[in-house]
Amino acid sequence: MNRIFSGVQPTGGLHLGNYLGAIRNFVTLQDSYHCIYCVVDLHAVTTWQDPAALKANTREVTAAYLAAGVDPERCIIFNQSQVGEHAELAWIFNCVARMGWLNRMTQFKEKAGKHRENASVGLFAYPNLMAADILLYKATHVPVGDDQKQHLELTRDIAQKFNNDFGVDFFPICEPLILGSATRVMSLRDGKSKMSKSDPSDYSRIAMTDEADAIAQKIRKAKTDPDPLPGPEALGPDGEVPEDARGARPEACNLLGIYAALAERSLAEVLGEQEGAQFSRFKEDLTELAVAKLGPIGAEMKRLMAEPDHVDAILRRGAERAHAIAHPILDEVHEIVGFLRP
Ligand code: TYM
């Protein structure tokens, strides 16, 4: 069976983008793959994290996986720092990846901004650790949102270079799984920037734990334009919104994509139904749908977060199972690299 690996950073404030771009797909994929879902706390500390908040946020991501429907029996759920092999393999990849490759990573440029000299070394080497996460389990498929595409390209380059350098066919070349109609959920305040945890405005995102009235208020205040929704003929032959139309009405396209993803229907179906609707009407429908889909997940997350011992036990058990897969693979890597094991 093909193996899936994916992860989410415990940096607080999980939002609709994390859910639709990643976590929801984790649930559907568990039926057809052997899945390993990680809470990537080693990645989180590439930028400063308050220690108590990091613990709480690690439990929050775990609770989100569980509340969304990831089954901890069928899948492995664990936090990265409990399996030391991630950091060990990342070191080896620090010696495989080239500075030039990492210099091209747009996420580093975005996160480091103008203060590049002040960014942690860990933030620069972040993609090597991500490659280690995936390749430590020889995962073949990686479900992520669109923003992780470049990191997965790098993972493929690292696997290829390692195989070439050592003359082996050891690491698989993994495939990204970027699924659904909301692979890049945009801010509710600005349809040209990604919905993100770091946006200073709370109104830019819907949190997975938002209550119904907060969801309603954020959708009501979401930026739109004065035109009604078009019919399905506005879509391209691939059933997607054409690039120029997206550029002209970014906020409208974003809300449409969110609706389709939450309703688990195609854009054509949604436009067929909503053709000619004004945004005031459409927003009411969207609110109802978002509350129906996210409400129970948010409530279950809160219930689980109030039971930290239960959550920690799931992570501990997951870490044991992850370690049992990772350890022999890392042993083989050591052999390939030439580390002496007396
Ligand atoms: P992170 O924690 O930033 O995001 C977790 C997942 O959510 C997706 N995502 C989005 N999808 C759609 N629209 C958005 N606005 C949006 N924002 C976030 C991300 O694409 C991601 O899938 N580097 C990763 C974590 C990671 C990882 C891995 C992922 C570490 N090791 C190995 C896969 C495999 C990250 O920062 O995700």
Side-chain angles (χ1 to χ4, degrees):
M1 197 191 234
N2 284 323
R3 183 175 283 156
I4 277 194
F5 184 97
S6 196
V8 175
Q9 292 195 70
T11 40
L14 287 176
H15 53 71
L16 188 61
N18 299 127
Y19 178 62
L20 293 178
I23 298 172
R24 196 186 54 174
N25 298 327
F26 295 178
V27 182
T28 33
L29 291 164
Q30 66 187 343
D31 296 329
S32 24
Y33 292 87
H34 174 235
C35 297
I36 304 176
Y37 298 127
C38 189
V39 186
V40 290
D41 48 9
L42 297 175
H43 278 108
V45 299
T46 56
T47 57
W48 165 253
Q49 302 299 318
D50 172 77
L54 180 60
K55 287 186 179 168
N57 292 335
T58 300
R59 294 183 181 121
E60 186 204 27
V61 176
T62 313
Y65 289 169
L66 297 169
V70 175
D71 175 359
E73 292 304 318
R74 273 189 290 164
C75 307
I76 296 177
I77 300 177
F78 74 107
N79 59 314
Q80 193 183 24
S81 61
Q82 285 204 66
V83 180
E85 283 83 354
H86 286 253
E88 284 189 55
L89 185 59
W91 178 259
I92 293 172
F93 288 167
N94 284 344
C95 306
V96 173
R98 307 287 94 181
M99 294 286 285
W101 299 0
L102 293 176
N103 267 327
R104 285 194 286 276
M105 293 295 113
T106 53
Q107 194 150 313
F108 175 73
K109 289 183 199 160
E110 277 164 24
K111 284 200 177 175
K114 292 192 196 87
H115 312 289
R116 196 188 146 91
E117 294 299 314
N118 240 341
S120 73
V121 176
L123 189 66
F124 186 68
Y126 180 113
N128 295 345
L129 176 60
M130 184 161 157
D133 295 341
I134 297 164
L135 297 174
L136 188 54
Y137 303 92
K138 293 192 171 180
T140 51
H141 296 81
V142 186
V144 282
D146 178 78
D147 62 340
Q148 296 299 314
K149 234 189 219 167
Q150 196 187 29
H151 285 158
L152 291 184
E153 288 291 324
L154 189 94
T155 300
R156 292 160 61 97
D157 290 344
I158 289 176
Q160 209 130 38
K161 184 163 178 356
F162 181 95
N163 288 347
N164 285 343
D165 285 356
F166 293 100
V168 290
D169 182 17
F170 187 71
F171 286 123
I173 309 302
C174 64
E175 291 292 334
L177 294 176
I178 299 176
L179 306 169
S181 50
T183 57
R184 190 173 180 81
V185 178
M186 308 307 277
S187 156
L188 299 180
R189 307 299 289 160
D190 170 9
K192 289 205 156 80
S193 68
K194 198 181 65 174
M195 183 177 284
S196 111
K197 292 170 183 169
S198 53
D199 192 313
S201 168
D202 217 26
Y203 281 94
S204 68
R205 61 186 161 260
I206 294 174
M208 286 183 73
T209 49
D210 272 347
E211 302 283 345
D213 49 351
I215 295 176
Q217 209 177 10
K218 288 176 181 181
I219 294 179
R220 205 176 315 118
K221 283 191 176 236
K223 192 171 165 198
T224 42
D225 57 47
D227 295 333
L229 281 159
E233 68 285 349
L235 299 171
D238 57 354
E240 299 292 328
V241 179
E243 232 12 83
D244 52 337
R246 183 174 290 278
R249 302 186 68 186
E251 287 84 16
C253 293
N254 188 37
L255 294 184
L256 175 67
I258 292 173
Y259 187 100
L262 283 172
E264 296 175 61
R265 299 172 66 194
S266 68
L267 294 176
E269 279 178 295
V270 175
L271 286 181
E273 205 178 83
Q274 296 279 350
E275 179 168 6
Q278 292 297 332
F279 267 93
S280 49
R281 230 279 316 283
F282 180 66
K283 280 179 169 183
E284 282 171 22
D285 292 352
L286 179 58
T287 300
E288 201 179 307
L289 179 64
V291 169
K293 295 282 177 174
L294 292 179
I297 297 175
E300 177 64 0
M301 280 175 71
K302 286 178 193 157
R303 192 189 69 76
L304 286 163
M305 282 188 280
E307 282 184 36
D309 291 348
H310 171 63
V311 171
D312 294 1
I314 288 175
L315 292 174
R316 207 173 315 115
R317 168 91 185 101
E320 284 165 12
R321 291 165 67 198
H323 178 259
I325 302 171
H327 189 73
I329 293 180
L330 189 69
D331 260 356
E332 282 187 78
V333 172
H334 282 183
E335 184 57 37
I336 291 169
V337 172
F339 292 151
L340 196 57
R341 309 237 116 188

